[in-house]
């Protein structure tokens, strides 16, 4: 292998480099080789390291390429294990691929002679090599795709093989337009569903990822067919319940990758509504007009008797117009015209019909309640439903492609087969409630919609686990509560972030910190009872520690039982001058947490531990009774040593006291706009020959 030009230059300028290269044991790990070269401590060694990387990666690639073709099964298994490990490195991957290594691996898979660990390492190496993006996915044969697809069902019990097979299928679909159809012919979503019922979250993640990929990458000419197929699959209660039971409500935390795949599935599910959202209503379509007639019938059937044909056509037309006005349509004569705007198009009418049929009592109550109000105070159900549907589509980003980084999924949307429609039903009732709370008129329509959007967004941020919980959250977010939240946020975010307020905060902060410091020291003077703890078990023995009133000495001593009040200084035999304290350490740094067996203590004990170090080896070890006492004592001891108080309690106290002090000082400036910049300083007078007569 001829050395590159740079290496020749190094050889000339640094003749000791290549003899050193020959001395290196090529069987050493690459990290050890690099470390050994860097110990040469010469600028030219950087170039030398690059050569060593190139040299040894090429050697490793060549050797592994030969070893994985060995006739010995043990040697072949060991070689494939090494290959799976080395393939993570892009330099090695490039060298191995240059030796046509990918083709060799695909041939091994297609042959179908390898099983168990050998097949697992083969697929692992393949995945790692392909992840570098050096080889195009379009180069693989149908035989290879069929073999990988067969592993999804054949090796369902082998987690390693199943995981890598699912990963390969996902990558094929996402990275190759041509492979989509081939993969879709070999694997169906129905075949993937059983893998969601297992307990391995990685398998579940890859399974949902394949489902998402099959739908997301469908060709445009087949996207509509895929939409209907996906709609039918997602409409099956079985799939939704499996995801809800075995993934979302499983007794384990959902990792970020799973959360992302659930988010993608949520987005793709709601994107099935895009077709209806972008479909205008045809005023001449009788089937569509019948939906509006059905809305009217459900609301006014008892009083209007629409089937009675005894009245004249003009009378019935007048009655329909009156009822359509009560229903809150903008166009009373021909309400079909209200649904010609997209978005939300026909989706709004679908939601209204669902609400009227599945929540009939609430629907009738809202319509009749508003039709009995004065015209200017009625909440128009038709107009509200159309605007609300449009708003919900914006909130859920219906029609938009899923983000590659977002993991913001909502568990409640997996709890119902018709989650979007139920979401609408809850929100339309919220809108009517908020309208009444605001005592709104028709001119306030947009204001009401803004408040409703804020209520919905705030409730969604809490990630309710069910639609009922979401509804409960909304009940607590009344219009009055929203006003309080707005006022609080305005004080904390807008006014308190202006330049004059920040300068005032900076000026006040030292006074507040001094106040907190004095409170901490006063608490140390009062003292605290601590429980003794050894490496084996908790003992029912106590000791007490308190600071002297002059803040110069710590008094401490053992107690027979827990005291009822303060323990006098006289009864505490031991003393530690504050001047002798060298440091205060916490958590794992404490000597009594480093002792044999102490690290087995639970996390709670570790978080409450702190120690005072004094002299050369002296130490006073504490286990605080609770987090509050821990913060008080660590703050107080740091204050005694002249260090900053860094506990969570100090930060909270500082924020609270600063906020209160600022609000008190700004009471006289309520409703007065504070300028960002200070007023200009007046020019100096032409002379100072003036006097003020105090009498």
């Amino acid at each position: 292998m001829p050395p590159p030009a740079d290496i020749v230059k190094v050889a000339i300028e640094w003749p000791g480099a290549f003899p050193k290269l020959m001395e290196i044991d090529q069987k050493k790990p690459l990290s050890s080789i690099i470390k050994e070269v860097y110990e040469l401590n010469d600028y030219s060694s950087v170039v030398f390291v690059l050569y060593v990387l190139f040299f040894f990666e090429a050697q490793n690639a060549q050797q592994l390429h030969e070893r994985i073709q060995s006739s010995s099964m043990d040697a072949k298994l060991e070689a494939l294990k090494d290959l799976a490990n080395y393939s993570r490195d892009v330099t090695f991957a490039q060298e191995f691929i240059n030796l046509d290594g990918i083709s060799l691996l695909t041939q091994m898979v297609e042959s179908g002679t390898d099983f168990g660990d050998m097949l697992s390492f083969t697929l692992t190496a393949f995945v790692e090599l392909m992840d570098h993006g050096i080889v195009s996915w379009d180069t693989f044969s149908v035989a290879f795709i069929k073999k990988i697809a067969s592993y999804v069902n054949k090796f369902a019990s082998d987690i390693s093989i199943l995981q890598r097979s699912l990963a390969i299928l996902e990558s094929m679909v996402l990275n190759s337009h041509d492979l989509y159809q081939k993969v879709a012919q070999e694997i169906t979503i129905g075949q993937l569903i059983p893998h969601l019922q297992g307990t391995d979250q990685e398998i579940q993640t890859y399974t949902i990822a394949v489902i998402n990929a099959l739908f997301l990458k469908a060709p445009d000419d087949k996207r509509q067919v895929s939409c209907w197929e996906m709609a039918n699959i997602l409409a099956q209660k079985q799939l939704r319940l499996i995801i809800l039971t075995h993934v979302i409500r499983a007794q384990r935390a959902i990792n970020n990758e799973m959360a992302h795949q659930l988010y993608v599935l949520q987005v793709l599910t709601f994107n099935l509504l895009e077709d209806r959202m972008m479909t205008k209503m045809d005023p001449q379509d009788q089937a569509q007009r019948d939906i509006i007639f059905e809305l009217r019938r459900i609301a006014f059937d008892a009083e209007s008797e629409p089937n009675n044909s005894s009245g004249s056509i003009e009378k019935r037309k007048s009655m329909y117009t009156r009822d359509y006005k009560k229903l809150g349509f903008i166009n009373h004569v021909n309400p079909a015209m209200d649904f010609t705007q997209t978005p939300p198009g026909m989706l709004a009418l679908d939601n209204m019909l669902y609400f009227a049929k599945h929540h009939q009592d609430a629907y009738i109550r809202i319509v009749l309640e508003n039709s009995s109000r004065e015209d200017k105070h009625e909440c128009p159900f038709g107009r509200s439903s159309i605007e609300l549907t449009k708003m919900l589509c914006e909130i859920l980003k219906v029609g938009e492609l899923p983000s590659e980084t977002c993991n913001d999924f909502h568990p409640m949307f997996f709890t119902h087969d018709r989650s979007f429609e139920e979401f609408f039903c809850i929100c339309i009732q919220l809108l009517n409630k908020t309208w009444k709370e605001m005592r709104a008129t028709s001119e306030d329509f947009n204001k009401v919609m803004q408040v409703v959007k804020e209520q919905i967004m705030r409730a969604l941020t809490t990630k309710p686990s069910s639609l009922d919980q979401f509804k409960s959250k909304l009940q607590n977010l009344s219009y009055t509560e929203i006003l309080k939240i707005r006022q609080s946020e305005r004080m904390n975010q807008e006014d308190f972030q202006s330049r004059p307020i920040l300068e005032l905060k900076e000026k006040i902060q030292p006074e507040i910190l001094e106040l907190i410091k004095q409170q901490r020291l006063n608490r140390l003077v009062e003292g605290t009872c601590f429980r003794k703890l050894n490496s084996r078990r908790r003992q029912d023995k106590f000791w007490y520690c308190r600071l002297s009133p002059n803040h110069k000495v710590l008094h401490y001593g053992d107690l027979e039982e827990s005291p009822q009040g303060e323990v006098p200084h006289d009864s505490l035999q031991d003393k530690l001058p504050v001047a002798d304290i060298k440091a205060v350490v916490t958590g794992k740094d404490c000597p009594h947490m480093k002792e044999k067996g102490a690290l087995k203590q639970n996390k709670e004990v570790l978080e409450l531990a702190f120690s005072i170090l004094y002299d050369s080896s002296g130490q006073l070890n504490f286990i605080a009774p609770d987090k509050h006492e821990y913060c008080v004592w660590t703050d107080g001891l740091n204050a005694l040593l002249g260090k900053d108080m860094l506990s969570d309690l100090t930060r909270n106290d500082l924020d609270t006291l600063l906020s209160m002090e600022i609000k008190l000082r700004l009471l006289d400036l309520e409703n007065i706009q504070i300028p960002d910049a200070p007023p200009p300083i007046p020019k100096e007078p032409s002379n100072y020959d003036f006097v003020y007569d105090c009498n």
Side-chain angles (χ1 to χ4, degrees), residues 75 104 140 249 251 286 297 364 367 389-390 416 447 455 564 572 581 594 619 683:
L104 179 59
F140 299 108
R249 292 181 177 173
Q251 298 300 314
Q286 188 59 42
R297 184 196 67 77
I364 294 173
V367 172
T389 301
K390 183 178 179 181
H416 201 283
K447 292 181 181 179
Q455 290 170 314
Q564 299 300 318
L572 301 174
I581 298 176
K594 292 181 179 179
Q619 60 194 45
K683 294 181 180 180

Side-chain angles (χ1 to χ4, degrees), residues 274 276-280 338-348 386-387 389-391 393-394 398:
E274 184 182 10
R276 294 294 284 174
M277 182 182 74
M278 300 308 295
T279 300
K280 295 181 180 181
D338 289 10
F339 300 96
T340 55
Q341 180 185 359
T342 58
M346 288 295 292
L347 184 60
I386 293 169
E387 291 300 321
T389 301
K390 183 178 179 181
M391 179 200 295
C393 290
E394 291 172 357
V398 175

Side-chain angles (χ1 to χ4, degrees), residues 98-125:
N98 288 343
L99 296 171
D100 208 17
I102 290 288
S103 296
L104 179 59
L105 292 178
T106 55
Q107 289 170 15
M108 292 169 62
V109 171
E110 290 174 9
S111 67
T113 57
D114 295 335
F115 300 98
D117 289 342
M118 195 170 293
L119 178 58
S120 175
F121 288 130
T122 302
L123 296 178
T124 301

Side-chain angles (χ1 to χ4, degrees), residues 388-418:
L388 179 62
T389 301
K390 183 178 179 181
M391 179 200 295
L392 298 183
C393 290
E394 291 172 357
I395 291 173
L396 299 176
K397 296 180 171 54
V398 175
E400 296 183 19
L401 289 175
S403 166
E404 294 183 0
T405 57
C406 184
N407 55 9
D408 185 26
F409 83 98
H410 296 279
M412 70 176 191
F413 291 129
F414 292 86
T415 62
H416 201 283
D417 296 329
R418 304 287 294 274

Side-chain angles (χ1 to χ4, degrees), residues 66-82 108 111-119 121-122:
E66 296 170 358
R67 288 170 57 199
I68 62 176
Q69 301 178 70
S70 171
S71 57
S72 169
M73 290 295 102
D74 292 339
K76 185 176 180 180
L77 178 61
E78 193 64 27
L80 286 170
K81 184 177 180 180
D82 291 341
M108 292 169 62
S111 67
T113 57
D114 295 335
F115 300 98
D117 289 342
M118 195 170 293
L119 178 58
F121 288 130
T122 302

Side-chain angles (χ1 to χ4, degrees), residues 446-641:
N446 291 333
K447 292 181 181 179
V448 175
M449 295 303 295
Q450 290 173 4
V451 173
V452 170
K453 184 174 183 179
E454 185 173 348
Q455 290 170 314
I456 294 170
M457 294 298 292
R458 289 186 183 278
L460 286 176
T461 55
T462 64
K463 295 293 181 69
S465 58
S466 66
L467 290 165
D468 287 337
Q469 195 176 50
F470 173 69
K471 189 174 182 179
S472 178
K473 296 283 185 185
L474 291 177
Q475 291 294 329
N476 297 327
L477 285 172
S478 63
Y479 176 58
T480 304
E481 185 63 25
I482 289 294
L483 290 179
K484 289 179 182 178
I485 294 172
R486 284 180 175 180
Q487 183 178 4
S488 175
E489 290 181 348
R490 190 159 50 244
M491 288 292 292
N492 293 330
Q493 296 178 7
E494 296 176 7
D495 296 343
F496 282 13
Q497 296 303 316
S498 63
R499 180 182 165 190
I501 303 301
L502 291 176
E503 291 178 357
L504 180 59
K505 273 187 176 182
E506 190 175 343
K507 184 178 179 180
I508 296 173
Q509 185 164 316
E511 302 174 17
I512 303 296
L513 284 172
E514 183 62 29
L515 181 65
I516 295 172
K517 175 183 173 182
Q518 291 303 320
Q519 189 272 341
R520 300 292 192 265
L521 294 176
N522 289 340
R523 281 287 294 106
L524 265 61
V525 171
E526 293 175 9
T528 302
C529 178
F530 297 94
R531 194 182 281 267
K532 282 195 171 183
L533 189 73
N534 65 15
S535 60
R536 292 187 178 180
R537 60 187 176 90
R538 189 178 286 272
Q539 301 285 345
D540 291 329
K541 292 184 178 180
F542 304 90
W543 67 288
Y544 200 88
C545 186
R546 62 181 299 178
L547 180 66
S548 63
N550 62 4
H551 300 172
K552 292 186 177 181
V553 179
L554 282 172
H555 299 264
Y556 61 97
D558 293 342
L559 300 174
E560 293 298 327
E561 58 183 5
S562 180
Q564 299 300 318
E566 290 185 19
V567 177
H569 293 93
D570 302 341
S571 61
L572 301 174
Q573 303 299 322
D574 299 309
K575 298 179 181 179
L576 173 61
V578 173
D580 292 345
I581 298 176
K582 303 299 181 184
V584 176
V585 294
T586 61
K588 293 181 179 179
D589 296 328
C590 297
H592 58 314
M593 292 293 106
K594 292 181 179 179
E595 295 171 1
K596 185 177 180 180
L599 290 177
K600 296 180 181 178
Q601 299 291 345
N602 59 40
K603 184 180 178 183
E604 180 184 357
V605 173
L606 202 62
E607 290 178 346
L608 299 177
F610 63 97
S611 299
I612 296 175
L613 307 182
Y614 58 93
D615 294 338
S616 58
S617 59
Q619 60 194 45
L620 193 59
N621 299 321
F622 298 77
I623 299 291
D626 52 50
K627 191 67 176 177
H628 182 271
E629 287 296 321
Y630 170 85
C631 293
V632 167
W633 272 85
T634 53
D635 284 343
L637 292 171
N638 281 325
L640 287 173
L641 298 178

Side-chain angles (χ1 to χ4, degrees), residues 283 289 292-293 316-325 329-338:
R289 291 170 62 87
I292 298 177
F293 293 151
R316 281 194 309 232
K317 188 174 181 181
S318 174
M319 182 176 63
Y320 288 164
T321 301
R322 181 199 66 193
D323 290 346
Y324 291 147
K325 182 180 179 182
F329 290 113
I330 297 174
N331 193 316
H332 306 153
V333 178
N334 186 8
M337 299 302 297
D338 289 10

